[in-house]
Amino acid sequence: MSFRAASTVALPARPAATLTDLGVDLVPARGVSGLLALRDLDAVITTITDPVDEAAVAGLKAHGVRLVANVGVGYNNIDIAAARRAGLSVTNTPDVLTDATADLAMALLLDATRRVCEGDRLVRGGRPWSWAFDFMWGSSLAGKRLGIVGYGRIGAAVARRARAFGMAIASSSRRPRSEQDVEWMPLDRLFAESDVVSLHCPLTAGTRHLVDADRLRSMKRTAVLVNTARGPVVDEAALVAALADGTIAAAGLDVYEAEPRIAPGLADLDNVVLAPHLGSATRETREAMADLAVQNVAALCRGRGLLTPVTA
């Protein structure tokens, strides 16, 4: 029996070969509209920038699709409830991007506290400078509290890295955890008492604008906010105001509310580090993500159980 799949992702050679070796007819597609223009598909491979809403789900189902294999640990781009009603399975790519994303969160944290990019701009801009006792002071991490919002795989990996810098770890997670050195506390207290708050929660109706103007005002004036989760978890306009007026000291962002656009005024601020959604952007990680998505498609092709089904 023939098996046909389409991908909006330019798959690396090794994952693509896995499907070719199985005899899968793999066709490229440009975005969701490209997927919907195709017929007689068994599976589609998408990424987090592909909005698979209720209408797209209905269209894919009508074309025979049984699986949406999303390349990314997050799946807020897919209407999961609609997929479930339509009988479409959805998979994601957890675990393989944990370390890369945690590394980037720490990079943003270090950059924001030690003003590395700000110093880089100063030197590259040709502005006169010389070493001085009070020149470009930053903030040390040792002895500071890192508050982690969303203590899942990535949050726990950030905690492991932060311990090496001598930070104390706090989390608002309601799930029981084995780490004896993590202080569990209510979310409001975590924001009020942490020196750095790092966001690792999924985007849901309950976490959209979790960090709003009120929550930013509750933070220490010396605090740093890091977001490698999803942009809409933060009210970006409120963050611009908080950074501009000194409500908080700094921020490091890898994701944005209306990505790839950023809020007016954000790029003008020296106390924010801006990365273009690089959390999983290492060669090794992206290849592993593509491979896991492909392995899910291969499992469907072989009539086996899916490796990483989304069950939320």
Side-chain angles (χ1 to χ4, degrees), residues 1-6 24-25 39-45 60 63-69 88-89 297 300-301:
M1 183 178 72
S2 63
F3 190 100
R4 194 166 188 239
V24 173
D25 179 17
R39 297 291 184 273
D40 301 322
L41 294 172
D42 295 282
V44 295
I45 299 172
L60 293 173
H63 297 168
V65 172
R66 292 179 283 154
L67 169 65
V68 179
L88 265 65
S89 297
V297 174
L300 180 69
C301 180

Side-chain angles (χ1 to χ4, degrees), residues 76-283:
N76 56 283
N77 58 305
I78 300 172
D79 188 329
I80 298 297
R84 185 177 293 113
R85 289 193 298 271
L88 265 65
S89 297
V90 177
T91 59
N92 65 340
T93 59
D95 294 322
V96 294
L97 49 70
T98 296
D99 285 327
T101 306
D103 287 347
L104 189 78
M106 288 303 300
L108 291 171
L109 192 165
L110 285 164
D111 199 330
T113 54
R114 294 304 306 272
R115 304 172 67 179
V116 178
C117 280
E118 186 181 350
D120 179 84
R121 290 192 296 271
L122 184 150
V123 175
R124 290 178 186 273
R127 291 166 53 190
W129 64 276
S130 63
W131 186 93
F133 181 73
D134 57 354
F135 179 57
M136 287 196 68
W137 282 10
S139 177
S140 297
L141 299 182
K144 302 295 177 60
R145 173 180 281 151
L146 171 63
I148 295 176
V149 180
Y151 203 88
R153 299 177 184 89
I154 297 172
V158 171
R160 290 194 296 273
R161 287 154 174 77
R163 289 184 185 101
F165 287 88
M167 300 190 78
I169 310 300
S171 177
S172 60
S173 174
R174 285 174 284 186
R175 297 181 185 179
R177 299 291 180 180
S178 60
E179 293 90 335
Q180 297 301 312
D181 63 337
V182 178
E183 185 175 2
W184 311 105
M185 59 179 62
L187 190 64
D188 288 343
R189 182 184 163 201
L190 181 142
F191 272 87
E193 297 184 6
S194 295
D195 299 290
V196 178
V197 174
S198 192
L199 304 175
H200 303 285
C201 53
L203 176 62
T204 66
T207 62
R208 184 175 295 273
H209 283 194
L210 177 75
V211 184
D212 56 11
D214 288 340
R215 193 142 267 154
L216 289 163
R217 280 193 292 269
S218 76
M219 297 173 70
K220 297 179 179 180
R221 295 185 71 84
T222 54
V224 174
L225 178 72
V226 175
N227 188 12
T228 56
R230 286 291 182 265
V233 173
V234 177
D235 181 338
E236 212 164 284
L239 178 61
V240 171
L243 290 167
D245 67 14
T247 297
I248 65 171
L253 306 176
D254 187 44
V255 289
Y256 305 92
E257 191 168 357
E259 197 170 302
R261 300 186 305 277
I262 63 174
L266 191 61
D268 299 325
L269 298 169
D270 280 331
N271 57 342
V272 61
V273 183
L274 306 174
H277 205 146
L278 298 177
S280 63
T282 70
R283 180 177 294 104

Side-chain angles (χ1 to χ4, degrees), residues 18-91:
T18 297
L19 295 180
T20 301
D21 292 346
L22 275 174
V24 173
D25 179 17
L26 178 65
V27 295
R30 185 171 298 226
V32 174
S33 61
L35 294 175
L36 293 172
L38 298 169
R39 297 291 184 273
D40 301 322
L41 294 172
D42 295 282
V44 295
I45 299 172
T46 59
T47 190
I48 60 172
T49 57
D50 295 317
V52 185
D53 57 16
E54 186 172 13
V57 166
L60 293 173
K61 177 68 174 179
H63 297 168
V65 172
R66 292 179 283 154
L67 169 65
V68 179
N70 208 46
V71 181
V73 66
Y75 43 84
N76 56 283
N77 58 305
I78 300 172
D79 188 329
I80 298 297
R84 185 177 293 113
R85 289 193 298 271
L88 265 65
S89 297
V90 177
T91 59

